[in-house]
Amino acid sequence: MSDEEIDVGTGLAGRSVYAFGDSIVYGHVYPRSFVDVVAERAGMALSKFARNGATIGADPHASGGQILAQVEQATAAAPDFILFDGGTNDAESVFNGRYDVGTYSAELEKTLRTMKRRWPAAHLVYVSAHKLGSRDWGTQVALREETLRVCRNGNVAIADVFGGTPFDTRDDVHRATYTFDDLVDGLPGTEGSGTHPNMAGITTFYVPVVTAGLEQISSC
């Protein structure tokens, strides 16, 4: 299934969206991710600041730096919406003892405060990644619970791919069908490690959840 076949609503046309986060938002080795598909199909103006390997916490071993730095360095012009993720690479950092869940939580709160200070009128939407077979499950769940708590306390909307879809790459069929590590003829392939959704994973699971979340906010 190609992204051109996805029919999303048009109530978001003309609205602007900034996207922050890690490789799931950036696209990994492909320059298009779920945020590109959502924005293009809805007629939104997208500015994507995500970086592969980015974390919420400060980990010198992480290749993409902190998501906070993306927020601080982004243009000052205010978007209508902000989409962001986090926690995928933090799960490795926490599992390996580079920082703990409490430190992650404090850095997430700081990131949200910075977004709200810079763009007080923007609608913030956290996108929870799918269930990852490529990360320690206990660490993943602990970070998810803390992320949801912080976002709810901060009145941040949640596009819950993790809890709202069956996408689970602990299931080897899902891993092989819906994720990729490398490109095949210039496009995302299959048989990935379970982290990065390919176009089938994006259009089947991410696009409907994220679009529905944006449209719900837009209609309020």
Side-chain angles (χ1 to χ4, degrees):
M1 180 183 292
S2 70
D3 55 317
E4 286 76 17
E5 294 174 296
I6 299 302
D7 181 20
V8 299
T10 58
L12 299 166
R15 310 295 286 278
S16 58
V17 56
Y18 288 179
F20 302 103
D22 53 35
S23 55
I24 293 178
V25 173
Y26 177 76
H28 183 42
V29 294
Y30 189 62
R32 286 168 50 79
S33 72
F34 72 90
V35 297
D36 296 273
V37 177
V38 168
E40 289 174 9
R41 297 299 296 164
M44 302 179 77
L46 170 66
S47 297
K48 189 165 65 173
F49 302 95
R51 292 185 62 189
N52 290 344
T55 53
I56 294 290
D59 183 350
H61 296 274
S63 61
Q66 280 186 275
I67 293 171
L68 175 62
Q70 301 170 19
V71 175
E72 292 174 332
Q73 295 164 12
T75 179
D80 296 304
F81 296 93
I82 293 172
L83 288 172
F84 68 101
D85 76 343
T88 298
N89 297 313
D90 296 275
E92 289 191 324
S93 299
V94 171
F95 183 72
N96 290 320
R98 296 186 185 120
Y99 47 85
D100 59 18
V101 174
T103 300
Y104 166 86
S105 178
E107 290 297 318
L108 177 59
E109 290 173 342
K110 182 178 179 181
T111 302
L112 297 185
R113 287 197 301 270
T114 304
M115 290 178 180
K116 292 179 178 182
R117 173 181 56 80
R118 296 207 66 200
W119 309 291
H123 298 287
L124 275 57
V125 181
Y126 169 73
V127 181
S128 69
H130 58 282
K131 301 174 186 71
L132 296 164
S134 56
R135 299 292 187 270
D136 174 74
W137 182 247
T139 306
Q140 188 178 167
V141 170
L143 290 178
R144 168 181 166 77
E145 291 175 351
E146 193 61 16
T147 301
L148 296 183
R149 182 192 67 80
V150 171
C151 287
R152 286 166 179 156
N153 287 346
N155 294 316
V156 174
I158 298 164
D160 196 3
V161 178
F162 185 109
T165 78
F167 193 7
D168 185 347
T169 60
R170 295 174 300 167
D171 178 333
D172 201 52
V173 173
H174 275 212
R175 176 200 61 77
T177 304
Y178 295 118
T179 72
F180 81 109
D181 294 332
D182 301 304
L183 301 180
V184 177
D185 296 328
L187 297 172
T190 56
E191 295 287 349
S193 62
T195 302
H196 304 103
N198 58 21
M199 198 55 65
I202 285 170
T203 56
T204 302
F205 302 111
Y206 277 80
V207 170
V209 171
V210 175
T211 301
L214 293 174
E215 289 187 328
Q216 183 176 9
I217 294 171
S218 182
S219 66
C220 291

